[in-house]
């Protein structure tokens, strides 16, 4: 009988990772011990993935509120700073905001609406329509926002982020002014030095502000790009991808970890004789249909991966073939016809009708999202994921 199991994703338990730990040894031994205990074997083209959090922790890649404040003060002057389009997150942004506010005299915080970049809603869209508010044009002051929408809390966290962020700014020693707008240029009458805190739209936001005459324009990816007083840093992403570690410290996105994934690949080849692919993953990319929240708060899903994970899927849609090309067939004849079509498929199926409906996303984004869902973000204790059969298809025996 043909093999009946396709893709399998397993969360692998690991020790609690501390700064300085040897991840090559820990990841390799965790996978091998799981295989022994659970009775599976490592195969060629399996994927071994580890969350970015354990990589950054092993690197000791942390920064304090004071480190952030010093960098913001040095780069933006320490006066009035416009803080533009942050996401609404106690874990992702609150500690960063404390550092930013500590490095300035006044913060003009401009929030996007009705939601932030990753889908956390400040305003119910139906109420926004009822009030006649145009999010593309209207700039709301805090007073106008409260008049129209009152005090709203996040449905999952119970936090009024407008009030929470304002309090954080004031507790950090800065004056706070709150605006609501979606055009970045709306900040310029209030602040000429601007820190763009959006993630995936940051380059466009910075470009538009500079073209409109802003004086100093930086993104979160330009803060903490070098050590401050011996801190960690991230040369490429700065504060993007950081998470709360303690009340006054963030864990930064891991620094260069290409050597790590290649070393684990080599070690597993030595231990098992199998050529696996290895990657580091952060937030996946998927939308909650109820809460409307995208994960994707990291700048990329995978900051490092081995060469075999480059590219996009090249797949045929089996139901299209069954309903169209081979509509007259059934049973073994249908199975054999579809297998034959898969075996002769072109190197690229872009534009082919038989590929319609397949997902045109990068392999690392798809697999990283699967890993994020598998490992979870709470107390599962599985920061390593073993994926088997991802590159199989209907012809694989």
């Amino acid at each position: 009988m043909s093999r009946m199991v396709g893709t399998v994703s397993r969360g692998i338990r690991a020790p609690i990772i501390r700064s300085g730990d040897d991840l090559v040894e820990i990841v390799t031994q965790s996978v091998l011990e799981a295989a022994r205990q659970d009775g599976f074997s490592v195969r060629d083209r399996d994927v071994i993935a580890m969350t970015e959090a354990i990589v950054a922790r092993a690197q000791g890649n942390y920064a304090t509120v004071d480190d952030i404040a010093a960098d913001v003060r040095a780069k933006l002057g320490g006066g009035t700073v416009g803080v533009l389009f942050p996401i609404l997150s106690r874990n992702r942004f609150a500690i960063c905001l404390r550092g930013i506010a500590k490095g300035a005299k006044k913060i003009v915080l401009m929030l996007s609406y009705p939601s932030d970049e990753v889908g956390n809603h400040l305003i119910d869209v139906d109420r926004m329509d009822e009030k006649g508010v145009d999010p593309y044009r209207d700039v709301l002051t805090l007073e106008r926002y409260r008049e129209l929408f009152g005090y709203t809390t996040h449905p999952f966290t119970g936090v009024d982020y407008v009030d929470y962020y304002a309090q954080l700014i004031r507790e950090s020693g800065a004056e706070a002014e709150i605006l609501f707008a979606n055009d970045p240029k709306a900040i310029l009458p209030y602040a000429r030095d601007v820190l763009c805190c959006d993630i995936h739209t940051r380059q466009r936001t910075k470009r538009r502000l500079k073209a409109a005459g802003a004086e100093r324009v930086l993104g979160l990816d330009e803060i903490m790009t070098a050590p401050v007083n011996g801190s960690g840093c991230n040369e490429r992403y700065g504060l993007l991808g950081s998470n709360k570690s303690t009340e006054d410290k963030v864990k930064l996105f891991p620094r260069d970890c290409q050597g790590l994934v290649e070393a684990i690949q080599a070690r597993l080849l030595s231990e098992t004789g199998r050529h696996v692919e290895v990657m580091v993953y952060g937030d996946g990319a998927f939308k909650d249909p109820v809460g409307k929240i995208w994960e994707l708060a990291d700048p990329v899903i995978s900051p490092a991966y081995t060469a075999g994970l480059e590219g996009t899927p090249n797949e045929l849609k089996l139901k299209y073939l069954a309903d169209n090309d081979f509509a007259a067939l059934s049973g073994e004849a249908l199975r054999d016809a579809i297998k034959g079509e898969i075996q002769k498929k072109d190197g690229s199926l872009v534009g082919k009708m038989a590929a319609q409906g397949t997902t045109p996303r990068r392999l690392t984004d798809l697999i990283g999202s699967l890993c994020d869902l598998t490992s979870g973000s709470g107390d599962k204790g599985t920061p390593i994921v073993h994926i088997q059969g991802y590159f199989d298809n209907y012809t694989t025996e």
Side-chain angles (χ1 to χ4, degrees), residues 86 105 118 121 133 140 198 211 215 247 396:
K105 291 181 180 178
V118 298
H121 275 71
V133 174
L140 307 179
D198 44 346
E215 293 179 11
E247 292 302 322
T396 304

Side-chain angles (χ1 to χ4, degrees), residues 95-117:
I95 306 302
C96 295
L97 180 58
R98 285 183 58 202
I100 295 163
K102 201 168 181 179
K105 291 181 180 178
K106 179 179 180 179
I107 296 295
V108 181
L109 179 66
M110 195 168 92
L111 301 171
S112 57
Y113 74 93
S115 70
D116 69 9
E117 182 180 5

Side-chain angles (χ1 to χ4, degrees), residues 64-106:
T64 68
V65 166
D66 287 339
D67 298 329
I68 296 169
D71 207 28
V72 168
R73 193 179 300 112
K75 291 175 177 175
L76 289 168
T80 297
V81 176
V83 173
L84 203 62
F85 302 154
I87 65 172
L88 307 175
S89 172
R90 294 170 297 175
N91 176 47
R92 288 287 189 170
F93 188 69
I95 306 302
C96 295
L97 180 58
R98 285 183 58 202
I100 295 163
K102 201 168 181 179
K105 291 181 180 178
K106 179 179 180 179

Side-chain angles (χ1 to χ4, degrees), residues 53-66:
I54 65 170
V55 179
R57 287 168 66 186
Q59 292 176 341
N61 202 20
Y62 296 90
T64 68
V65 166
D66 287 339

Side-chain angles (χ1 to χ4, degrees), residues 66 100 111 181 188 227 233 268 301 392:
D66 287 339
I100 295 163
L111 301 171
L188 294 180
C233 67
L268 280 164
I301 291 180
D392 291 356

